[in-house]
């Protein structure tokens, strides 16, 4: 979701798998599963359309999503590991009244999806086009009954108001359960009706904390990667790569916890709107009468379009790495943000920053254990944050740092100052395991229940007993 009020995480390894069902708490769950049998071309194809009843999608079949495919209340859609689902293209973009809807999976309130892939056999949602491109199909939409801060709109964005079925979301059940997404990859999604009204790669509307989401990648999307419209769902191990708009967008009072994530940008991929790693809003930037968006993120690696060897200016659509607008009290811990041409961290209202030097919950934006590294080598002139440096970096208990990468030699480059290797910016085989770890801080009460690790960013160094084990075994794709 975009607003216009303000100037506008590699992998290849892992046996530690997390299920964020209560706050950031994880548990082991990886178990061997059969590989996908045969090629997509050889497998039989089945078209899914309309309203589904209870059914299982098996890995021996390729499924085609034709227009809006709905899982209504009381129905469960089960998807085997290794299953391939393709979305048909549509003509709704710019023509919502008469166009053909793109293939889109919609889990309605009270419906469930049980999509449990594995690291060696992920479930893949992708385009049905021979040469896939961003926005070929709709995406995956999950609608739940957890609380949402509305401005009077009760239908999820991206679906025409004339579309049949339950397009609403939100309710009063914090623990609402919409099912499971584990080891799932969503590619080339993101149909846009009109600017500001789009289907994201994964759209979550009022999804509750009883839902399990971990090890999910959204890549090459036309709009946002992940967008959370209210709700309380927790998540872990998320990757957003090469999406045209924001990678992680939180709105309408979303209050979940997300730990371990990556945002990777391609300098040649951007939208017509301000583009970044995070955007967080209230409800149309106005929290009047509503709960603030107060999501908590920890251990994220946010890589912008400017790398250690960049020498050309990036498009003006690229703005700030993390943008926190009015109506949001997003909290960010133990993370690395780098490579953006404006700010790495920007608050629309600077006074919302928590500068009272404590580790308790406040009605403010808490940022602790965060590294900002901003490029100022030619032709760039970025900044760390618009928050006063004495508030951000010089409150000792916050353990924040903001550093200027002049790229003039050892100790002053993006790699030296972030601790990351140059391969973190590699667009075909990125590796986010740091050369040098930066220490973490888990003292804040908002991090209760999170996995306490000794590093900031999405990964620790190879060789660490637990936290250093990379959290994928090739389920992701760049």
């Amino acid at each position: 979701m975009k607003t216009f009020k303000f100037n506008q995480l590699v992998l290849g390894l892992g046996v530690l798998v997390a299920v964020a069902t209560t706050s950031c708490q994880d548990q082991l769950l990886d178990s061997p599963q059969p590989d996908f049998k045969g090629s997509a071309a050889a497998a039989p194809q089945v078209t899914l359309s309309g309203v589904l009843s209870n059914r299982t999608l098996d890995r021996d079949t390729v499924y085609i999503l034709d227009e809006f495919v709905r899982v209504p209340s009381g129905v469960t859609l089960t998807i085997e590991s290794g299953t391939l689902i393709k979305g048909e293209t549509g003509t709704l973009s710019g023509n919502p009244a008469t166009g053909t809807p793109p293939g889109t999976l919609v889990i309605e309130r009270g419906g469930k999806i049980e999509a449990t892939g594995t690291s060696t056999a992920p479930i893949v949602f992708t385009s049905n086009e021979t040469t896939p491109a961003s926005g070929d199909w709709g995406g995956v939409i999950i609608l739940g009954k957890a609380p949402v801060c509305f401005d009077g709109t009760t239908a999820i964005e991206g679906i025409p108001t004339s579309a049949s079925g339950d397009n609403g979301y939100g309710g009063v059940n914090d623990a609402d359960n919409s099912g499971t997404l584990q080891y799932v990859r969503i590619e080339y999604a993101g149909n846009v009706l009109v600017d500001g009204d789009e289907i994201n790669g994964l759209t979550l509307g009022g999804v509750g904390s009883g839902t399990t989401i971990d090890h999910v990648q959204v890549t090459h999307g036309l709009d946002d990667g992940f967008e959370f419209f209210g709700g309380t769902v927790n998540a872990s191990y998320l990757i957003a790569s090469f999406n045209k708009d924001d990678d992680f967008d939180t709105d309408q009072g979303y209050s979940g916890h997300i730990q371990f994530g990556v945002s990777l940008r391609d300098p040649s991929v951007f939208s017509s709107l301000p583009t970044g790693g995070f955007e967080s809003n209230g409800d149309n930037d106005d929290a009047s009468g509503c709960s603030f968006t107060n999501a908590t993120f920890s251990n994220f690696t946010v890589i912008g379009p400017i790398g250690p060897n960049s020498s050309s200016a990036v498009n003006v659509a690229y703005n700030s790495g993390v943008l926190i607008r009015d109506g949001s009290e997003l909290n960010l811990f133990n993370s690395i943000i780098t490579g953006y041409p404006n700010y790495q961290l920007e608050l629309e209202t600077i006074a919302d920053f928590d500068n009272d030097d404590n580790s308790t919950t406040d009605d403010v934006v808490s940022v602790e254990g965060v590294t900002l590294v901003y490029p100022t080598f030619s032709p760039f002139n970025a900044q760390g944050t618009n928050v006063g440096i004495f508030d951000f970096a010089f409150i000792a208990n916050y353990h924040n740092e903001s550093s200027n990468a002049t790229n003039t030699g050892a100790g002053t480059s993006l790699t030296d100052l972030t601790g990351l290797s140059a391969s973190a910016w590699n667009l075909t085989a990125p590796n986010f395991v740091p050369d040098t770890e930066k220490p973490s801080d888990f003292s804040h009460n908002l991090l209760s229940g999170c996995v306490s690790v000794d590093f900031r960013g999405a990964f620790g160094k190879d060789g660490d007993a637990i936290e250093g084990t990379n959290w994928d075994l090739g389920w992701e794709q760049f």
Side-chain angles (χ1 to χ4, degrees):
M1 182 167 75
K2 271 293 177 190
T3 52
F4 303 91
K5 182 177 175 181
F6 196 73
N7 290 332
Q8 325 281 349
L9 84 209
V10 127
L11 298 169
L13 319 154
V15 279
L16 181 65
V17 180
V19 184
T21 55
T22 26
S23 186
C24 300
Q25 185 143 18
D26 294 354
Q27 52 187 297
L28 295 174
L29 79 106
D30 198 21
S31 58
Q33 294 288 336
D35 291 332
F36 182 79
K37 299 175 183 177
S39 68
Q45 294 192 356
V46 171
T47 297
L48 302 176
S49 62
V51 180
L52 301 182
S53 55
N54 290 327
R55 69 177 297 167
T56 296
L57 308 187
D58 65 80
R59 66 182 64 87
D60 298 316
T61 303
V62 175
Y63 296 89
I64 310 299
L65 299 175
D66 180 27
E67 301 190 10
F68 293 123
V69 179
R70 295 177 174 273
V71 178
S73 180
V75 170
T76 298
L77 175 65
T78 302
I79 306 176
E80 290 185 348
S81 64
T83 301
L84 180 63
I85 302 110
K86 296 183 175 183
E88 293 275 27
T89 191
T91 59
L92 275 184
S93 184
N95 189 25
T98 60
T100 301
T104 304
L105 181 61
V106 183
I107 313 301
E108 297 181 357
R109 286 181 290 190
K112 283 189 177 183
I113 180 171
E114 294 294 344
T116 306
T118 71
S119 59
T120 55
I123 294 164
V124 179
F125 292 86
T126 191
S127 167
N128 196 35
E129 295 296 300
T130 303
T131 304
S134 299
D136 276 348
W137 63 290
V140 178
I141 299 174
I142 304 178
L143 306 175
K145 300 179 181 180
V148 174
C149 172
F150 288 118
D151 66 347
T153 301
T154 57
I156 197 68
E157 73 171 33
I159 300 179
T161 54
S162 60
S164 61
D166 182 7
N167 302 314
Y169 61 107
V172 296
N173 184 3
D174 281 358
D176 188 46
N177 184 356
S178 295
T180 302
L181 285 182
Q182 290 178 317
Y183 288 107
V184 171
R185 194 167 70 238
I186 302 170
E187 307 169 341
Y188 304 108
N191 183 80
V192 178
L193 289 179
V194 294
D195 281 348
D197 192 0
E198 316 94 352
I199 300 175
N200 308 286
L202 179 59
T203 299
L204 301 165
V207 177
S209 62
T211 308
T212 297
I213 298 178
D214 65 74
H215 295 86
V216 178
Q217 180 185 21
V218 179
T219 186
H220 295 95
L222 186 63
D223 194 55
D224 296 331
F226 299 81
E227 184 154 13
F228 300 78
F229 293 91
T232 56
V233 64
N234 304 304
S236 57
Y237 303 109
L238 305 182
I239 303 169
S241 52
F242 317 142
N243 298 300
K244 287 201 170 182
D245 202 2
D246 302 308
D247 284 329
F248 297 92
D249 200 337
T250 55
D251 315 285
Q252 297 181 345
Y254 172 61
S255 60
H257 289 66
I258 304 179
Q259 187 176 19
F260 303 116
V262 166
S263 165
L264 177 62
R265 306 300 308 201
D266 181 335
S268 68
V269 175
F270 46 84
S271 74
S272 60
L273 302 168
T275 299
F278 282 51
E279 182 183 19
S280 187
N281 303 273
D283 187 30
N284 290 343
D285 287 346
D286 181 2
S288 177
C290 284
S291 298
F292 280 78
T293 295
N294 61 351
T296 297
F297 288 79
S298 185
N299 294 96
F300 269 69
T301 299
V302 180
I303 302 289
I306 301 170
N309 300 311
S310 295
S311 58
S312 300
V314 298
N315 190 276
V316 294
Y318 274 111
N319 188 43
S320 296
V322 173
L323 175 58
I324 303 174
R325 296 181 181 276
D326 289 347
S328 174
E329 296 169 354
L330 183 141
N331 306 292
L332 185 63
F333 300 92
N334 303 311
S335 295
I336 299 169
I337 309 167
T338 187
Y340 276 86
N342 189 18
Y343 295 108
Q344 313 315 297
L345 169 67
E346 180 180 3
L347 273 66
E348 190 169 50
T349 302
I350 298 172
D352 289 343
F353 186 79
D354 182 3
N355 63 356
D356 62 4
D357 193 14
N358 64 39
S359 292
T360 59
T361 302
D362 297 303
D363 292 330
V364 288
V365 175
S366 296
V367 180
E368 298 186 20
V370 170
T371 293
L372 309 178
V373 179
Y374 53 100
T376 59
F377 52 89
S378 181
F380 309 110
N381 188 29
Q383 299 181 62
T385 178
N386 62 339
V387 174
I389 193 66
F390 286 96
D391 287 336
F392 180 81
F394 288 94
I395 295 179
N397 290 339
Y398 284 3
H399 307 292
N400 292 324
E401 56 184 8
S402 181
S403 302
N404 173 12
T406 62
N407 211 31
T408 58
T412 58
S413 68
L414 290 174
T415 52
D416 289 328
L417 294 170
T418 60
L420 300 171
S421 69
S423 60
W425 283 263
N426 188 305
L427 301 182
T428 56
N431 180 4
F432 301 108
V433 174
D435 286 339
T436 304
E437 282 186 356
K438 290 185 173 291
S440 62
D441 177 6
F442 280 84
S443 60
H444 201 287
N445 68 333
L446 285 171
L447 297 175
S448 174
C450 287
V451 177
S452 181
V453 294
D454 64 3
F455 59 88
R456 62 185 71 182
F459 293 88
K461 287 188 66 174
D462 287 328
D464 284 355
I466 297 177
E467 62 268 14
T469 57
N470 290 348
W471 36 265
D472 65 67
L473 283 171
W475 59 275
E476 84 298 337
Q477 192 169 91
F478 294 95

